[in-house]
Amino acid sequence: MSAGTTDFETLLRQALAPVDPPEDLAARMEATLVSLTELAQDELEAWELSAMRDPRNWVRPAAAAVIGTGAGAALVVLRVRSRHRARRQRSGNLLELAGNTLHDFAEEARRVMPDR
């Protein structure tokens, strides 16, 4: 019984071994989020206000708004998080780190939505 338990533990250990993400995962994710944000912005810009009368036409702009907002927020978080280690080393204390992080969030949000 002990040998079966050991084999099971070994198999479990092998199955749950940590796996490193691919090197270009962050770049691919950022490119995908940028693409989704731009597509959502294009969809909203192409939408005509006169179509607002018919509720059947609300689905595409509503979906574009939700997808664009989600992708834009994720893009901001991804970019801010990627610079967190450098920001932490530059900061002297926790309050300064929080201020720098909030400033970075605002700057990235302006980059993602430049016309807003």
Side-chain angles (χ1 to χ4, degrees), residues 9-43:
E9 289 176 1
T10 304
L11 289 173
L12 192 59
R13 218 177 266 119
Q14 288 174 352
L16 298 176
V19 178
D20 291 330
E23 299 269 333
D24 64 338
L25 179 66
R28 287 189 338 220
M29 186 179 292
E30 186 172 343
T32 301
L33 291 172
V34 166
S35 175
L36 283 172
T37 304
E38 289 174 352
L39 288 171
Q41 286 177 349
D42 291 344
E43 179 66 31

PDB file of all heavy atoms in Angstrom, residues 9-43:
ATOM      1  N   GLU A   9       1.584   9.973  -5.162  1.00  0.00           N
ATOM      2  CA  GLU A   9       2.162  11.263  -4.777  1.00  0.00           C
ATOM      3  C   GLU A   9       3.126  11.770  -5.837  1.00  0.00           C
ATOM      4  O   GLU A   9       3.146  12.961  -6.154  1.00  0.00           O
ATOM      5  CB  GLU A   9       2.866  11.146  -3.428  1.00  0.00           C
ATOM      6  CG  GLU A   9       1.929  10.983  -2.260  1.00  0.00           C
ATOM      7  CD  GLU A   9       2.672  10.768  -0.957  1.00  0.00           C
ATOM      8  OE1 GLU A   9       3.927  10.772  -0.962  1.00  0.00           O
ATOM      9  OE2 GLU A   9       1.995  10.587   0.065  1.00  0.00           O
ATOM     10  N   THR A  10       3.903  10.882  -6.410  1.00  0.00           N
ATOM     11  CA  THR A  10       4.838  11.270  -7.467  1.00  0.00           C
ATOM     12  C   THR A  10       4.080  11.761  -8.700  1.00  0.00           C
ATOM     13  O   THR A  10       4.434  12.800  -9.290  1.00  0.00           O
ATOM     14  CB  THR A  10       5.740  10.082  -7.851  1.00  0.00           C
ATOM     15  OG1 THR A  10       6.409   9.621  -6.681  1.00  0.00           O
ATOM     16  CG2 THR A  10       6.755  10.491  -8.894  1.00  0.00           C
ATOM     17  N   LEU A  11       3.062  11.039  -9.078  1.00  0.00           N
ATOM     18  CA  LEU A  11       2.253  11.453 -10.229  1.00  0.00           C
ATOM     19  C   LEU A  11       1.577  12.792  -9.970  1.00  0.00           C
ATOM     20  O   LEU A  11       1.520  13.663 -10.849  1.00  0.00           O
ATOM     21  CB  LEU A  11       1.204  10.384 -10.547  1.00  0.00           C
ATOM     22  CG  LEU A  11       1.737   9.092 -11.140  1.00  0.00           C
ATOM     23  CD1 LEU A  11       0.608   8.061 -11.240  1.00  0.00           C
ATOM     24  CD2 LEU A  11       2.360   9.348 -12.495  1.00  0.00           C
ATOM     25  N   LEU A  12       1.075  12.967  -8.765  1.00  0.00           N
ATOM     26  CA  LEU A  12       0.418  14.230  -8.410  1.00  0.00           C
ATOM     27  C   LEU A  12       1.423  15.381  -8.416  1.00  0.00           C
ATOM     28  O   LEU A  12       1.130  16.476  -8.901  1.00  0.00           O
ATOM     29  CB  LEU A  12      -0.251  14.092  -7.039  1.00  0.00           C
ATOM     30  CG  LEU A  12      -1.209  15.169  -6.630  1.00  0.00           C
ATOM     31  CD1 LEU A  12      -2.350  15.277  -7.649  1.00  0.00           C
ATOM     32  CD2 LEU A  12      -1.772  14.880  -5.256  1.00  0.00           C
ATOM     33  N   ARG A  13       2.602  15.149  -7.899  1.00  0.00           N
ATOM     34  CA  ARG A  13       3.651  16.164  -7.883  1.00  0.00           C
ATOM     35  C   ARG A  13       4.038  16.555  -9.311  1.00  0.00           C
ATOM     36  O   ARG A  13       4.240  17.724  -9.623  1.00  0.00           O
ATOM     37  CB  ARG A  13       4.855  15.630  -7.120  1.00  0.00           C
ATOM     38  CG  ARG A  13       5.518  16.677  -6.276  1.00  0.00           C
ATOM     39  CD  ARG A  13       6.682  16.137  -5.448  1.00  0.00           C
ATOM     40  NE  ARG A  13       6.214  15.776  -4.121  1.00  0.00           N
ATOM     41  CZ  ARG A  13       6.256  14.562  -3.590  1.00  0.00           C
ATOM     42  NH1 ARG A  13       6.753  13.562  -4.281  1.00  0.00           N
ATOM     43  NH2 ARG A  13       5.820  14.327  -2.383  1.00  0.00           N
ATOM     44  N   GLN A  14       4.134  15.591 -10.201  1.00  0.00           N
ATOM     45  CA  GLN A  14       4.488  15.870 -11.592  1.00  0.00           C
ATOM     46  C   GLN A  14       3.366  16.636 -12.306  1.00  0.00           C
ATOM     47  O   GLN A  14       3.618  17.537 -13.100  1.00  0.00           O
ATOM     48  CB  GLN A  14       4.771  14.573 -12.343  1.00  0.00           C
ATOM     49  CG  GLN A  14       6.059  13.905 -11.949  1.00  0.00           C
ATOM     50  CD  GLN A  14       6.220  12.545 -12.605  1.00  0.00           C
ATOM     51  OE1 GLN A  14       5.303  12.032 -13.248  1.00  0.00           O
ATOM     52  NE2 GLN A  14       7.403  11.948 -12.454  1.00  0.00           N
ATOM     53  N   ALA A  15       2.129  16.265 -12.002  1.00  0.00           N
ATOM     54  CA  ALA A  15       0.995  16.916 -12.664  1.00  0.00           C
ATOM     55  C   ALA A  15       0.819  18.354 -12.195  1.00  0.00           C
ATOM     56  O   ALA A  15       0.369  19.208 -12.961  1.00  0.00           O
ATOM     57  CB  ALA A  15      -0.285  16.129 -12.394  1.00  0.00           C
ATOM     58  N   LEU A  16       1.175  18.630 -10.960  1.00  0.00           N
ATOM     59  CA  LEU A  16       0.976  19.968 -10.409  1.00  0.00           C
ATOM     60  C   LEU A  16       2.248  20.800 -10.384  1.00  0.00           C
ATOM     61  O   LEU A  16       2.310  21.822  -9.692  1.00  0.00           O
ATOM     62  CB  LEU A  16       0.398  19.864  -8.990  1.00  0.00           C
ATOM     63  CG  LEU A  16      -0.967  19.186  -8.905  1.00  0.00           C
ATOM     64  CD1 LEU A  16      -1.397  19.056  -7.461  1.00  0.00           C
ATOM     65  CD2 LEU A  16      -2.001  19.944  -9.704  1.00  0.00           C
ATOM     66  N   ALA A  17       3.242  20.408 -11.125  1.00  0.00           N
ATOM     67  CA  ALA A  17       4.487  21.176 -11.208  1.00  0.00           C
ATOM     68  C   ALA A  17       4.212  22.517 -11.875  1.00  0.00           C
ATOM     69  O   ALA A  17       3.463  22.594 -12.851  1.00  0.00           O
ATOM     70  CB  ALA A  17       5.523  20.394 -12.002  1.00  0.00           C
ATOM     71  N   PRO A  18       4.806  23.589 -11.360  1.00  0.00           N
ATOM     72  CA  PRO A  18       4.574  24.901 -11.966  1.00  0.00           C
ATOM     73  C   PRO A  18       5.109  24.981 -13.396  1.00  0.00           C
ATOM     74  O   PRO A  18       6.129  24.381 -13.715  1.00  0.00           O
ATOM     75  CB  PRO A  18       5.333  25.870 -11.055  1.00  0.00           C
ATOM     76  CG  PRO A  18       6.102  25.045 -10.105  1.00  0.00           C
ATOM     77  CD  PRO A  18       5.684  23.629 -10.222  1.00  0.00           C
ATOM     78  N   VAL A  19       4.403  25.700 -14.218  1.00  0.00           N
ATOM     79  CA  VAL A  19       4.785  25.870 -15.612  1.00  0.00           C
ATOM     80  C   VAL A  19       4.991  27.359 -15.865  1.00  0.00           C
ATOM     81  O   VAL A  19       4.138  28.184 -15.536  1.00  0.00           O
ATOM     82  CB  VAL A  19       3.681  25.324 -16.555  1.00  0.00           C
ATOM     83  CG1 VAL A  19       4.055  25.558 -18.000  1.00  0.00           C
ATOM     84  CG2 VAL A  19       3.443  23.864 -16.277  1.00  0.00           C
ATOM     85  N   ASP A  20       6.130  27.698 -16.414  1.00  0.00           N
ATOM     86  CA  ASP A  20       6.413  29.095 -16.721  1.00  0.00           C
ATOM     87  C   ASP A  20       5.655  29.508 -17.977  1.00  0.00           C
ATOM     88  O   ASP A  20       5.583  28.746 -18.945  1.00  0.00           O
ATOM     89  CB  ASP A  20       7.913  29.311 -16.953  1.00  0.00           C
ATOM     90  CG  ASP A  20       8.712  29.148 -15.676  1.00  0.00           C
ATOM     91  OD1 ASP A  20       8.153  29.438 -14.599  1.00  0.00           O
ATOM     92  OD2 ASP A  20       9.875  28.731 -15.753  1.00  0.00           O
ATOM     93  N   PRO A  21       5.085  30.728 -17.977  1.00  0.00           N
ATOM     94  CA  PRO A  21       4.383  31.200 -19.176  1.00  0.00           C
ATOM     95  C   PRO A  21       5.378  31.490 -20.295  1.00  0.00           C
ATOM     96  O   PRO A  21       6.563  31.703 -20.038  1.00  0.00           O
ATOM     97  CB  PRO A  21       3.691  32.474 -18.703  1.00  0.00           C
ATOM     98  CG  PRO A  21       4.473  32.925 -17.528  1.00  0.00           C
ATOM     99  CD  PRO A  21       5.042  31.694 -16.895  1.00  0.00           C
ATOM    100  N   PRO A  22       4.906  31.515 -21.525  1.00  0.00           N
ATOM    101  CA  PRO A  22       5.805  31.841 -22.642  1.00  0.00           C
ATOM    102  C   PRO A  22       6.386  33.246 -22.484  1.00  0.00           C
ATOM    103  O   PRO A  22       5.783  34.120 -21.855  1.00  0.00           O
ATOM    104  CB  PRO A  22       4.895  31.780 -23.869  1.00  0.00           C
ATOM    105  CG  PRO A  22       3.672  31.073 -23.439  1.00  0.00           C
ATOM    106  CD  PRO A  22       3.563  31.215 -21.962  1.00  0.00           C
ATOM    107  N   GLU A  23       7.540  33.456 -23.045  1.00  0.00           N
ATOM    108  CA  GLU A  23       8.239  34.740 -22.937  1.00  0.00           C
ATOM    109  C   GLU A  23       7.419  35.899 -23.506  1.00  0.00           C
ATOM    110  O   GLU A  23       7.415  36.993 -22.971  1.00  0.00           O
ATOM    111  CB  GLU A  23       9.575  34.665 -23.687  1.00  0.00           C
ATOM    112  CG  GLU A  23      10.526  33.627 -23.168  1.00  0.00           C
ATOM    113  CD  GLU A  23      11.445  34.172 -22.112  1.00  0.00           C
ATOM    114  OE1 GLU A  23      11.709  35.381 -22.140  1.00  0.00           O
ATOM    115  OE2 GLU A  23      11.899  33.381 -21.277  1.00  0.00           O
ATOM    116  N   ASP A  24       6.716  35.654 -24.594  1.00  0.00           N
ATOM    117  CA  ASP A  24       6.004  36.732 -25.281  1.00  0.00           C
ATOM    118  C   ASP A  24       4.533  36.832 -24.878  1.00  0.00           C
ATOM    119  O   ASP A  24       3.753  37.486 -25.566  1.00  0.00           O
ATOM    120  CB  ASP A  24       6.126  36.560 -26.785  1.00  0.00           C
ATOM    121  CG  ASP A  24       5.464  35.290 -27.283  1.00  0.00           C
ATOM    122  OD1 ASP A  24       5.275  34.363 -26.479  1.00  0.00           O
ATOM    123  OD2 ASP A  24       5.149  35.230 -28.484  1.00  0.00           O
ATOM    124  N   LEU A  25       4.153  36.234 -23.769  1.00  0.00           N
ATOM    125  CA  LEU A  25       2.748  36.242 -23.355  1.00  0.00           C
ATOM    126  C   LEU A  25       2.236  37.660 -23.109  1.00  0.00           C
ATOM    127  O   LEU A  25       1.163  38.029 -23.571  1.00  0.00           O
ATOM    128  CB  LEU A  25       2.551  35.388 -22.107  1.00  0.00           C
ATOM    129  CG  LEU A  25       1.123  35.348 -21.561  1.00  0.00           C
ATOM    130  CD1 LEU A  25       0.206  34.647 -22.563  1.00  0.00           C
ATOM    131  CD2 LEU A  25       1.073  34.657 -20.218  1.00  0.00           C
ATOM    132  N   ALA A  26       3.008  38.466 -22.402  1.00  0.00           N
ATOM    133  CA  ALA A  26       2.580  39.835 -22.097  1.00  0.00           C
ATOM    134  C   ALA A  26       2.425  40.660 -23.375  1.00  0.00           C
ATOM    135  O   ALA A  26       1.458  41.417 -23.525  1.00  0.00           O
ATOM    136  CB  ALA A  26       3.556  40.497 -21.142  1.00  0.00           C
ATOM    137  N   ALA A  27       3.349  40.507 -24.297  1.00  0.00           N
ATOM    138  CA  ALA A  27       3.274  41.254 -25.560  1.00  0.00           C
ATOM    139  C   ALA A  27       2.067  40.824 -26.381  1.00  0.00           C
ATOM    140  O   ALA A  27       1.364  41.667 -26.950  1.00  0.00           O
ATOM    141  CB  ALA A  27       4.559  41.068 -26.358  1.00  0.00           C
ATOM    142  N   ARG A  28       1.805  39.520 -26.434  1.00  0.00           N
ATOM    143  CA  ARG A  28       0.640  39.031 -27.184  1.00  0.00           C
ATOM    144  C   ARG A  28      -0.652  39.498 -26.531  1.00  0.00           C
ATOM    145  O   ARG A  28      -1.606  39.885 -27.218  1.00  0.00           O
ATOM    146  CB  ARG A  28       0.664  37.509 -27.263  1.00  0.00           C
ATOM    147  CG  ARG A  28       1.703  36.967 -28.183  1.00  0.00           C
ATOM    148  CD  ARG A  28       1.579  35.476 -28.416  1.00  0.00           C
ATOM    149  NE  ARG A  28       0.857  34.770 -27.370  1.00  0.00           N
ATOM    150  CZ  ARG A  28       1.181  33.582 -26.895  1.00  0.00           C
ATOM    151  NH1 ARG A  28       2.225  32.963 -27.370  1.00  0.00           N
ATOM    152  NH2 ARG A  28       0.465  33.003 -25.958  1.00  0.00           N
ATOM    153  N   MET A  29      -0.700  39.467 -25.199  1.00  0.00           N
ATOM    154  CA  MET A  29      -1.899  39.894 -24.496  1.00  0.00           C
ATOM    155  C   MET A  29      -2.148  41.385 -24.714  1.00  0.00           C
ATOM    156  O   MET A  29      -3.267  41.811 -24.955  1.00  0.00           O
ATOM    157  CB  MET A  29      -1.781  39.594 -23.005  1.00  0.00           C
ATOM    158  CG  MET A  29      -3.053  39.871 -22.236  1.00  0.00           C
ATOM    159  SD  MET A  29      -2.913  39.496 -20.495  1.00  0.00           S
ATOM    160  CE  MET A  29      -2.759  37.743 -20.557  1.00  0.00           C
ATOM    161  N   GLU A  30      -1.087  42.175 -24.653  1.00  0.00           N
ATOM    162  CA  GLU A  30      -1.227  43.606 -24.873  1.00  0.00           C
ATOM    163  C   GLU A  30      -1.697  43.903 -26.291  1.00  0.00           C
ATOM    164  O   GLU A  30      -2.576  44.738 -26.504  1.00  0.00           O
ATOM    165  CB  GLU A  30       0.095  44.319 -24.598  1.00  0.00           C
ATOM    166  CG  GLU A  30      -0.021  45.822 -24.678  1.00  0.00           C
ATOM    167  CD  GLU A  30       1.230  46.527 -24.216  1.00  0.00           C
ATOM    168  OE1 GLU A  30       2.073  45.922 -23.544  1.00  0.00           O
ATOM    169  OE2 GLU A  30       1.356  47.725 -24.537  1.00  0.00           O
ATOM    170  N   ALA A  31      -1.159  43.199 -27.271  1.00  0.00           N
ATOM    171  CA  ALA A  31      -1.575  43.399 -28.663  1.00  0.00           C
ATOM    172  C   ALA A  31      -3.045  43.032 -28.845  1.00  0.00           C
ATOM    173  O   ALA A  31      -3.790  43.742 -29.547  1.00  0.00           O
ATOM    174  CB  ALA A  31      -0.703  42.575 -29.598  1.00  0.00           C
ATOM    175  N   THR A  32      -3.482  41.959 -28.218  1.00  0.00           N
ATOM    176  CA  THR A  32      -4.887  41.552 -28.311  1.00  0.00           C
ATOM    177  C   THR A  32      -5.800  42.580 -27.664  1.00  0.00           C
ATOM    178  O   THR A  32      -6.845  42.936 -28.216  1.00  0.00           O
ATOM    179  CB  THR A  32      -5.087  40.179 -27.647  1.00  0.00           C
ATOM    180  OG1 THR A  32      -4.239  39.230 -28.304  1.00  0.00           O
ATOM    181  CG2 THR A  32      -6.520  39.722 -27.746  1.00  0.00           C
ATOM    182  N   LEU A  33      -5.403  43.085 -26.491  1.00  0.00           N
ATOM    183  CA  LEU A  33      -6.230  44.085 -25.809  1.00  0.00           C
ATOM    184  C   LEU A  33      -6.291  45.396 -26.591  1.00  0.00           C
ATOM    185  O   LEU A  33      -7.342  46.035 -26.656  1.00  0.00           O
ATOM    186  CB  LEU A  33      -5.698  44.316 -24.391  1.00  0.00           C
ATOM    187  CG  LEU A  33      -5.883  43.149 -23.422  1.00  0.00           C
ATOM    188  CD1 LEU A  33      -5.144  43.414 -22.119  1.00  0.00           C
ATOM    189  CD2 LEU A  33      -7.354  42.894 -23.158  1.00  0.00           C
ATOM    190  N   VAL A  34      -5.176  45.793 -27.181  1.00  0.00           N
ATOM    191  CA  VAL A  34      -5.170  47.007 -28.010  1.00  0.00           C
ATOM    192  C   VAL A  34      -6.109  46.821 -29.195  1.00  0.00           C
ATOM    193  O   VAL A  34      -6.895  47.717 -29.535  1.00  0.00           O
ATOM    194  CB  VAL A  34      -3.735  47.343 -28.476  1.00  0.00           C
ATOM    195  CG1 VAL A  34      -3.742  48.369 -29.593  1.00  0.00           C
ATOM    196  CG2 VAL A  34      -2.901  47.836 -27.317  1.00  0.00           C
ATOM    197  N   SER A  35      -6.038  45.655 -29.827  1.00  0.00           N
ATOM    198  CA  SER A  35      -6.900  45.377 -30.973  1.00  0.00           C
ATOM    199  C   SER A  35      -8.382  45.414 -30.583  1.00  0.00           C
ATOM    200  O   SER A  35      -9.200  46.013 -31.289  1.00  0.00           O
ATOM    201  CB  SER A  35      -6.538  44.013 -31.554  1.00  0.00           C
ATOM    202  OG  SER A  35      -7.426  43.666 -32.577  1.00  0.00           O
ATOM    203  N   LEU A  36      -8.721  44.782 -29.463  1.00  0.00           N
ATOM    204  CA  LEU A  36     -10.119  44.794 -29.006  1.00  0.00           C
ATOM    205  C   LEU A  36     -10.593  46.208 -28.691  1.00  0.00           C
ATOM    206  O   LEU A  36     -11.719  46.585 -29.036  1.00  0.00           O
ATOM    207  CB  LEU A  36     -10.273  43.914 -27.761  1.00  0.00           C
ATOM    208  CG  LEU A  36     -10.305  42.419 -27.984  1.00  0.00           C
ATOM    209  CD1 LEU A  36     -10.269  41.687 -26.648  1.00  0.00           C
ATOM    210  CD2 LEU A  36     -11.533  42.025 -28.778  1.00  0.00           C
ATOM    211  N   THR A  37      -9.759  46.983 -28.051  1.00  0.00           N
ATOM    212  CA  THR A  37     -10.126  48.361 -27.717  1.00  0.00           C
ATOM    213  C   THR A  37     -10.359  49.193 -28.972  1.00  0.00           C
ATOM    214  O   THR A  37     -11.339  49.934 -29.066  1.00  0.00           O
ATOM    215  CB  THR A  37      -9.029  49.007 -26.847  1.00  0.00           C
ATOM    216  OG1 THR A  37      -8.818  48.198 -25.698  1.00  0.00           O
ATOM    217  CG2 THR A  37      -9.426  50.391 -26.405  1.00  0.00           C
ATOM    218  N   GLU A  38      -9.461  49.056 -29.953  1.00  0.00           N
ATOM    219  CA  GLU A  38      -9.615  49.817 -31.196  1.00  0.00           C
ATOM    220  C   GLU A  38     -10.845  49.379 -31.976  1.00  0.00           C
ATOM    221  O   GLU A  38     -11.561  50.224 -32.535  1.00  0.00           O
ATOM    222  CB  GLU A  38      -8.358  49.663 -32.047  1.00  0.00           C
ATOM    223  CG  GLU A  38      -7.163  50.398 -31.476  1.00  0.00           C
ATOM    224  CD  GLU A  38      -5.880  50.120 -32.232  1.00  0.00           C
ATOM    225  OE1 GLU A  38      -5.881  49.230 -33.130  1.00  0.00           O
ATOM    226  OE2 GLU A  38      -4.884  50.781 -31.933  1.00  0.00           O
ATOM    227  N   LEU A  39     -11.104  48.076 -32.029  1.00  0.00           N
ATOM    228  CA  LEU A  39     -12.297  47.596 -32.728  1.00  0.00           C
ATOM    229  C   LEU A  39     -13.575  48.105 -32.057  1.00  0.00           C
ATOM    230  O   LEU A  39     -14.534  48.479 -32.741  1.00  0.00           O
ATOM    231  CB  LEU A  39     -12.303  46.068 -32.783  1.00  0.00           C
ATOM    232  CG  LEU A  39     -11.298  45.428 -33.731  1.00  0.00           C
ATOM    233  CD1 LEU A  39     -11.262  43.922 -33.528  1.00  0.00           C
ATOM    234  CD2 LEU A  39     -11.648  45.767 -35.169  1.00  0.00           C
ATOM    235  N   ALA A  40     -13.597  48.116 -30.744  1.00  0.00           N
ATOM    236  CA  ALA A  40     -14.770  48.618 -30.031  1.00  0.00           C
ATOM    237  C   ALA A  40     -14.956  50.110 -30.279  1.00  0.00           C
ATOM    238  O   ALA A  40     -16.085  50.577 -30.477  1.00  0.00           O
ATOM    239  CB  ALA A  40     -14.641  48.335 -28.538  1.00  0.00           C
ATOM    240  N   GLN A  41     -13.864  50.866 -30.288  1.00  0.00           N
ATOM    241  CA  GLN A  41     -13.958  52.298 -30.571  1.00  0.00           C
ATOM    242  C   GLN A  41     -14.470  52.538 -31.992  1.00  0.00           C
ATOM    243  O   GLN A  41     -15.309  53.419 -32.207  1.00  0.00           O
ATOM    244  CB  GLN A  41     -12.595  52.974 -30.389  1.00  0.00           C
ATOM    245  CG  GLN A  41     -12.192  53.150 -28.955  1.00  0.00           C
ATOM    246  CD  GLN A  41     -10.800  53.748 -28.830  1.00  0.00           C
ATOM    247  OE1 GLN A  41     -10.050  53.848 -29.805  1.00  0.00           O
ATOM    248  NE2 GLN A  41     -10.449  54.130 -27.616  1.00  0.00           N
ATOM    249  N   ASP A  42     -13.975  51.777 -32.941  1.00  0.00           N
ATOM    250  CA  ASP A  42     -14.442  51.914 -34.322  1.00  0.00           C
ATOM    251  C   ASP A  42     -15.928  51.595 -34.436  1.00  0.00           C
ATOM    252  O   ASP A  42     -16.673  52.279 -35.149  1.00  0.00           O
ATOM    253  CB  ASP A  42     -13.653  50.999 -35.255  1.00  0.00           C
ATOM    254  CG  ASP A  42     -12.208  51.438 -35.419  1.00  0.00           C
ATOM    255  OD1 ASP A  42     -11.890  52.592 -35.064  1.00  0.00           O
ATOM    256  OD2 ASP A  42     -11.397  50.608 -35.881  1.00  0.00           O
ATOM    257  N   GLU A  43     -16.373  50.552 -33.737  1.00  0.00           N
ATOM    258  CA  GLU A  43     -17.787  50.172 -33.771  1.00  0.00           C
ATOM    259  C   GLU A  43     -18.654  51.287 -33.184  1.00  0.00           C
ATOM    260  O   GLU A  43     -19.707  51.619 -33.729  1.00  0.00           O
ATOM    261  CB  GLU A  43     -17.998  48.876 -32.995  1.00  0.00           C
ATOM    262  CG  GLU A  43     -19.427  48.409 -32.940  1.00  0.00           C
ATOM    263  CD  GLU A  43     -19.995  47.993 -34.289  1.00  0.00           C
ATOM    264  OE1 GLU A  43     -19.225  47.503 -35.141  1.00  0.00           O
ATOM    265  OE2 GLU A  43     -21.211  48.167 -34.497  1.00  0.00           O
TER     266      GLU A  43
END
